[in-house]
Each structure stands twice: as C-alpha cells, then as structure tokens.
Amino acid sequence: MDEAFGQITINHYIYLSLVLFCLGIIGVLTRRNAIVIFMCIELMLNAVNLLMVAFSN
Amino acid sequence: MNSALLFYILAFISIVCALLVITSKNPIHSCLFLVLTMFSISANYFLLNAQFLGIVQLIVYAGAIMVLFLFTLMMLNLNVDSEPKSTLLKKIIGVFSGGTLLLVLTVFLVKSNNPTENTLLIPSQNQTGLIKNLGNVLLTNYVFPFEVISILIITALVGTVVLATKDKKEIVNVNIED
C-alpha cells in the first residue's frame, strides 16, 4: 500500500493550493452576494496559508 | 493507512467543498461548506506536523470567523438569495478568467524544471510546529512579548465592555434629568 499512492511531494501541495486559490477567484468573480464574496476571499487566504505551511517543511 | 491516501482524501474533500461554496444558491449553505473546507485544511496542517496551527485554525477560523459570518447572514436575513442574479455571460466570463489563470499556472508548473520537483515532504522531521517546542520557546525566549500581548488583550476586553455599556448609561441619565 505504500507504493500504491507514492510519496507526497511538495508539488502536490502546490497543486492543491493552486486549485483552491483559483476556485476562490472564480467565486469572487461569479457571486453577487457580498458576504459570499468575503467568504471566497477567506478561501483564497486559506489556500495561501496551506502553501506557506507546506513550504516551511 | 499511510499519509498519502489520507492526503488524497483530504484534498478531494477540500476541492469538492470549495466547489460547493462557490456554486450554492443559498449563502448559508456556502458558509457551512466553507466550514467543512476549513476542517479539511486543518487536517492537512496536522498531516504537515503543524499541530498548533491546526488547532488554532479550528478554534479561530472555523470557530470564530465562520460563526461571525453566519451571525451576519442570519441577522441581515440574507438566507434567501434576493439580489439580482448575475447573467449567464458574466458567470461564463468569471469562470473563464479563473480557469485561464489555473490553466496557465498549472502548465507553468508542469513544464518548468524546478529543482524542488520531487522534494519529499518528511513532516516528522519538522519539530517547530509541535506544541511542546512552541511553548518552550514562547515561555523562555519570548516571555516579554507574551506578557505584553496578554495586557493588550485585557485592554481590548475592558474597552469593549466599557464601549458596549456606555450608551445605556447616557440614556438613563437623560431620562432622570427630565
């Protein structure tokens, strides 16, 4: 089972953070409700936070 | 169960919940899905051996900030999405712009020969995120900022209470003087 999924490299975290960030951008551009726009900005901040913690390893 | 499978499960949950955040019609549903996304990102922090940050993410983000969002939504009665909906053209343009950014950055990452291409993450070697080490450093090297921060928080609390009860006393005084 160890070789079935490979090791998690830092690239996996880069891709995950990138997808979450772009989903946040799409949310900000698409939604009209002000609170939902703020929530998508929070999503973007979380994606960048995840990237920072991944790079600190 | 190794950590790679756990990472893929958490990544899947994060992406699905983020998609549901941006596509839900009801803003309350978006808020609840964002709480689930926060939970999965917090679990990712635990995988990266950043225990303190994981706990703080749960307490502060999922416990205080998202509760504040829900409080605002319920107080302003925005649970029915009543503002005019953006037209289909605007939605297509929004998805196209974000998707183009995603595509460009993904292609850039895949094609580049960055030297950190296959850098394995070995989280167990990272000792700075553990709560024991963090508390050790905080209470020996950084004691003075620690105490100053606690004084600042107490000042903020006292100020909040004073500001919150100031208006009632003025109203009571005006009524007595009449």
Side-chain angles (χ1 to χ4, degrees):
Chain A
M1 197 65 161
D2 246 351
E3 289 87 20
F5 286 104
Q7 296 290 329
I8 298 295
T9 66
I10 204 165
N11 275 349
H12 291 85
Y13 277 101
I14 292 180
Y15 289 136
L16 174 67
S17 170
L18 184 64
V19 168
L20 286 176
F21 187 73
C22 287
L23 280 177
I25 286 182
I26 291 176
V28 167
L29 291 174
T30 313
R31 299 295 299 242
R32 290 291 298 271
N33 198 354
I35 307 286
V36 176
I37 291 181
F38 283 132
M39 289 199 299
C40 294
I41 293 178
E42 291 287 336
L43 185 61
M44 290 200 284
L45 288 178
N46 264 309
V48 172
N49 225 354
L50 183 64
L51 193 65
M52 267 201 321
V53 173
F55 266 104
S56 83
N57 260 334
Chain B
M1 168 89 70
N2 55 351
S3 61
L5 176 64
L6 198 56
F7 170 76
Y8 281 122
I9 291 176
L10 285 172
F12 181 69
I13 292 178
S14 302
I15 294 178
V16 163
C17 286
L19 269 172
L20 287 168
V21 164
I22 68 175
T23 59
S24 290
K25 287 192 171 47
N26 199 349
I28 302 261
H29 290 172
S30 288
C31 214
L32 295 177
F33 283 126
L34 192 61
V35 171
L36 277 180
T37 313
M38 301 292 182
F39 269 104
S40 66
I41 292 181
S42 172
N44 258 327
Y45 287 152
F46 279 111
L47 268 185
L48 286 169
N49 215 9
Q51 299 174 358
F52 180 68
L53 199 56
I55 296 275
V56 164
Q57 167 104 354
L58 281 179
I59 294 176
V60 170
Y61 249 120
I65 293 182
M66 297 316 300
V67 166
L68 192 63
F69 268 119
L70 278 169
F71 182 69
T72 310
L73 275 175
M74 289 185 187
M75 191 157 70
L76 296 180
N77 256 344
L78 289 176
N79 45 3
V80 173
D81 208 6
S82 59
E83 85 281 359
K85 299 216 183 308
S86 53
T87 65
L88 188 62
L89 180 66
K90 285 184 189 170
K91 282 185 192 171
I92 287 178
I93 289 175
V95 171
F96 184 69
S97 310
T100 307
L101 179 68
L102 179 64
L103 194 65
V104 164
L105 284 176
T106 310
V107 167
F108 166 70
L109 279 174
V110 165
K111 289 287 186 186
S112 71
N113 301 321
N114 47 353
T116 67
E117 172 79 24
N118 286 320
T119 309
L120 288 175
L121 282 179
I122 310 177
S124 56
Q125 287 181 356
N126 182 23
Q127 296 291 323
T128 54
L130 297 177
I131 297 179
K132 179 175 76 169
N133 296 336
L134 197 67
N136 210 2
V137 167
L138 192 63
L139 288 176
T140 54
N141 291 344
Y142 298 103
V143 172
F144 185 64
F146 182 64
E147 304 294 336
V148 167
I149 285 176
S150 64
I151 292 177
L152 189 69
I153 292 178
I154 288 182
T155 311
L157 275 173
V158 168
T160 307
V161 170
V162 163
L163 282 176
T165 58
K166 192 172 143 200
D167 293 336
K168 283 186 188 170
K169 279 188 189 163
E170 281 182 352
I171 293 175
V172 166
N173 283 336
V174 165
N175 283 339
I176 289 176
E177 282 168 5
D178 282 339

